[in-house]
Amino acid sequence: MQLDYYSSNFAKRTFPITIVCDNINNAPNIGSLFRTADAFGIENIVFCGEGITIGRKVTKTSRSTEKFVNYEFAKNTLEIITSLKAKSYQIIALEITSISKPIHNHQFVQNQPIALIIGDENFGVSESLLEQCDHALHINMFGQNSSMNVVQATTIALYEITKQLM
């Protein structure tokens, strides 16, 4: 018999992970990020950039998870990363670069919070932010396309990270 969310046996848990969104402003993506963050027990989301709002399109996609996930807005992503570094976060960019390595080959440090930086839907994580990261990780892909939707990639990354932290 298929179970619904309310009758499943999943144990609720919060992981020391903050998602840092660098100029992500597409409402359906923001709503989907809330659902993904809730599903994986993420501690916090920081939406960085200008003009980001939680409107009707976001709440429709989020299915009310914005009520349960901690989030904040910030104008400057670099300031947020600097602040998280000062708090001893592992700074991880989810981005394909010339030196990135596959996420499934990375061993996440236990007992150290993680800041996962995800980038703009069109331009990815900026070069200035990549320079501040401890690691750049990517998801191996086997088709013709060189990228996937930011929320899909984040979901895959959070699966791998939380699997290792269990």
Side-chain angles (χ1 to χ4, degrees):
M1 181 173 139
Q2 183 181 25
L3 298 178
D4 63 19
Y5 177 79
Y6 302 103
S7 58
S8 69
N9 296 327
F10 297 121
K12 297 201 179 346
R13 183 170 175 186
T14 301
F15 290 91
I17 302 169
T18 293
I19 301 171
V20 179
C21 304
D22 184 30
N23 292 305
I24 294 175
N25 55 26
N26 176 279
N29 281 346
I30 293 170
S32 292
L33 281 169
F34 276 114
R35 288 182 74 180
T36 292
D38 179 60
F40 284 99
I42 302 313
E43 197 169 73
N44 192 32
I45 303 175
V46 183
F47 295 102
C48 301
E50 299 284 333
I52 302 167
T53 60
I54 306 300
R56 189 181 64 76
K57 286 183 180 179
V58 169
T59 58
K60 181 178 179 184
T61 307
S62 74
R63 296 188 67 189
S64 299
T65 53
E66 80 284 353
K67 296 176 183 174
F68 308 109
V69 175
N70 293 322
Y71 69 94
E72 60 188 281
F73 297 104
K75 294 209 185 293
N76 188 303
T77 313
L78 193 53
E79 288 177 8
I80 293 297
I81 296 306
T82 301
S83 171
L84 292 171
K85 271 186 150 186
K87 296 174 186 172
S88 298
Y89 275 69
Q90 300 172 65
I91 309 298
I92 309 289
L94 185 59
E95 186 64 75
I96 299 170
T97 73
S98 61
I99 61 167
S100 63
K101 67 180 190 177
I103 192 167
H104 66 275
N105 289 342
H106 183 75
Q107 293 297 310
F108 291 90
V109 178
Q110 299 285 331
N111 303 317
Q112 185 181 8
I114 297 167
L116 181 65
I117 306 171
I118 59 175
D120 171 276
E121 292 93 340
N122 296 312
F123 304 108
V125 177
S126 69
E127 196 66 40
S128 62
L129 289 177
L130 288 171
E131 292 170 0
Q132 300 302 312
C133 293
D134 298 316
H135 303 281
L137 305 177
H138 66 262
I139 297 163
N140 284 350
M141 296 175 51
F142 306 102
Q144 297 300 314
N145 195 351
S146 64
S147 68
M148 66 177 67
N149 174 276
V150 65
V151 180
Q152 293 169 338
T154 302
T155 303
I156 293 167
L158 291 174
Y159 176 81
E160 179 62 30
I161 295 167
T162 57
K163 180 177 79 168
Q164 287 190 31
L165 297 181
M166 299 277 295

